[in-house]
Amino acid sequence: MAKSPSFVCTACGATTSKWSGRCETCGAWNTIEEVKPLSDGPGGKALGKSRGTPLTLTDLSSAEKEPPRTVSGVTELDRVLGGGLVKASAVLVGGDPGIGKSTLLLQAAARFARGGMKVMYISGEESAGQIQMRAQRLGLTESPVQLAAATNLRDILTTLEAEAPDLAVIDSIQTMWLDTVDSAPGSVSQVRSAAHELTSFAKRRGISMVLVGHVTKEGQLAGPRVVEHMVDTVLYFEGERGHQFRVLRAHKNRFGPADEIGVFEMTGRGLIEVKNPSALFLSERGEPAPGSAVFAGIEGSRPVLCEFQALVAPSPTSQPRRSVLGWDGGRLAMILAVLESRCGVAFAGLDVYLNVAGGLRISDPAADLAVAAALMSAREDAALPSDAAIFGEISLSGAIRPVAQTENRLKEAQKLGFTQAILPQARKRGGESGLELRHMADLPAFVEALFGER
């Protein structure tokens, strides 16, 4: 019996049984598309290693409990993957156009190939000759990577079946199409079907599959969200075009920690690993200036120091502007409200601009205190101590709450030459860090200590 068609929202991926002009889930207009059901797979297969025998966790061998990993030699990439590439896994890599996704994966494919893996790079956006030109510019022509330019998924799977590579890179999933799905390449049904076929093939044949995905103007991976659920790992390649820094961030990882980051620098010879990202993000920091504060943060499992820059100026309009780059705009509004309510510092009639230097994006809540310090420094036109690192979470009551991994933050600050740290009042004292520690119990005490009584 044939299955009835379903309808999917291209904006949020919600599925409905009938078409409508407006998605009831996200409220977007004219985003509902009909999706024909996938053909039924072969039935009658039992679960487990043999027919009729279920598999329990106690039956797993030691090799099956710990999936074997292959290290590429690109330390930053291996860190984000959780220690290396896992066999029979599917990895989805997304990022803005021109950010360097193809460059990163071509370099990684070359390193894997030189390490003994059989690697195939399949592009639906470039010809094999164009890929060779890029490889020549990157100095990768001696790497034994097999290249192919194709978009028909049936041909690609047939080639993968015959060649049996250890790693296959598909660039990109939006260009792949199945002749069994009646829609254009890049549509919801094509992307979903192609991702399903490639992921299933990787699991069946034990091939590591890396898929490149485009992103929308909102910064989300294009296509249905179900694609992110299909794969094992979702990586975002972030960065600003005006900066040479690139950050590879894990948003999902079944084989390692999420929110881990790897830092690269874009050069004329491709992407170069950054061993000490804190020194890189602070390398262009000049003389102490009002509105500048150094934040000692934690990204994934590594401490990273970066600079918050704030500018406070009189607003020429009745509605002051709040502009944020690299941080959460809603959290900035909360910090401004706490400063006004608990400390009596008004920002009414003032435009507020906040930026994270270097194009880095910060999600650590411990950045609250550094942001408050940068805002007060800009408003009072008073520079903060250049040798001070700041971190701490601010609550709505104005209290400064302790944060995790305090010792790692302090060690990183000391390694980069900082001599003092402003941090929350600790419940228990840690080991000696070699820094002068200035503990703050609440935001009013912090403002009074650094900028005088309000």
Side-chain angles (χ1 to χ4, degrees), residues 85-108:
L85 190 63
V86 177
K87 184 179 180 181
S89 63
V91 180
L92 180 61
V93 181
D96 294 330
I99 204 67
K101 302 185 297 297
S102 300
T103 299
L104 171 66
L105 294 179
L106 187 58
Q107 290 184 237

Side-chain angles (χ1 to χ4, degrees), residues 221-279:
L221 281 165
R225 295 303 297 269
V226 70
V227 174
E228 298 185 38
H229 296 288
M230 290 180 187
V231 299
D232 300 304
T233 304
V234 178
L235 308 179
Y236 278 83
F237 205 38
E238 305 170 349
E240 299 291 338
R241 288 181 177 271
H243 296 280
Q244 70 270 32
F245 315 128
R246 300 290 186 270
V247 176
L248 183 65
R249 187 186 302 272
H251 280 238
K252 170 190 174 182
N253 194 349
R254 289 174 179 160
F255 310 116
D259 292 330
E260 190 66 81
I261 68 167
V263 184
F264 299 86
E265 182 179 4
M266 178 64 78
T267 67
R269 298 285 294 175
L271 291 163
I272 299 176
E273 298 176 73
V274 176
K275 304 296 184 182
N276 190 350
S278 299

Side-chain angles (χ1 to χ4, degrees), residues 136-408:
Q136 185 176 7
R137 177 175 59 85
L138 300 175
L140 306 176
T141 52
E142 301 299 324
S143 302
V145 179
Q146 294 180 317
L147 302 179
T151 57
N152 190 317
L153 197 59
R154 186 188 298 274
D155 297 340
I156 292 173
L157 294 178
T158 302
T159 303
L160 293 178
E161 182 81 29
E163 296 292 336
D166 300 311
L167 169 63
V169 179
I170 308 297
D171 187 9
S172 65
I173 188 62
Q174 274 80 13
T175 60
M176 301 295 112
W177 66 278
L178 278 78
D179 49 15
T180 57
V181 179
D182 187 17
S183 60
S187 62
V188 171
S189 55
Q190 284 284 2
V191 171
R192 184 180 66 167
S193 302
H196 171 73
E197 294 292 339
L198 290 168
T199 303
S200 301
F201 184 85
K203 302 295 183 182
R204 291 196 311 269
R205 301 302 180 186
I207 297 175
S208 299
M209 192 79 66
V210 178
L211 312 176
V212 178
H214 296 165
V215 297
T216 63
K217 60 182 179 181
E218 289 83 14
Q220 301 295 324
L221 281 165
R225 295 303 297 269
V226 70
V227 174
E228 298 185 38
H229 296 288
M230 290 180 187
V231 299
D232 300 304
T233 304
V234 178
L235 308 179
Y236 278 83
F237 205 38
E238 305 170 349
E240 299 291 338
R241 288 181 177 271
H243 296 280
Q244 70 270 32
F245 315 128
R246 300 290 186 270
V247 176
L248 183 65
R249 187 186 302 272
H251 280 238
K252 170 190 174 182
N253 194 349
R254 289 174 179 160
F255 310 116
D259 292 330
E260 190 66 81
I261 68 167
V263 184
F264 299 86
E265 182 179 4
M266 178 64 78
T267 67
R269 298 285 294 175
L271 291 163
I272 299 176
E273 298 176 73
V274 176
K275 304 296 184 182
N276 190 350
S278 299
L280 183 64
F281 289 126
L282 296 178
S283 61
E284 299 178 359
R285 188 167 180 258
E287 294 296 324
S292 174
V294 175
F295 165 57
I298 296 290
E299 290 294 324
S301 62
R302 73 195 305 176
V304 176
L305 267 65
C306 62
E307 180 185 6
F308 274 94
Q309 300 171 341
L311 176 63
V312 178
S315 176
T317 63
S318 59
Q319 293 184 342
R321 185 175 183 181
R322 306 287 187 255
S323 179
V324 187
L325 290 176
W327 204 53
D328 183 14
R331 205 157 185 91
L332 172 63
M334 185 199 78
I335 299 300
L336 292 174
V338 174
L339 282 171
E340 183 166 359
S341 177
R342 306 300 180 186
C343 305
V345 180
F347 285 85
L350 298 174
D351 288 337
V352 176
Y353 301 88
L354 184 69
N355 175 51
V356 181
L360 186 64
R361 296 181 183 177
I362 299 296
S363 58
D364 189 353
D368 291 350
L369 192 59
V371 171
L375 293 173
M376 288 298 304
S377 172
R379 186 183 186 279
E380 300 298 321
D381 197 25
L384 294 166
S386 60
D387 60 345
I390 306 173
F391 60 91
E393 182 181 358
I394 298 176
S395 66
L396 292 178
S397 64
I400 302 177
R401 304 178 59 183
V403 296
Q405 303 191 45
T406 298
E407 290 300 322
N408 291 336

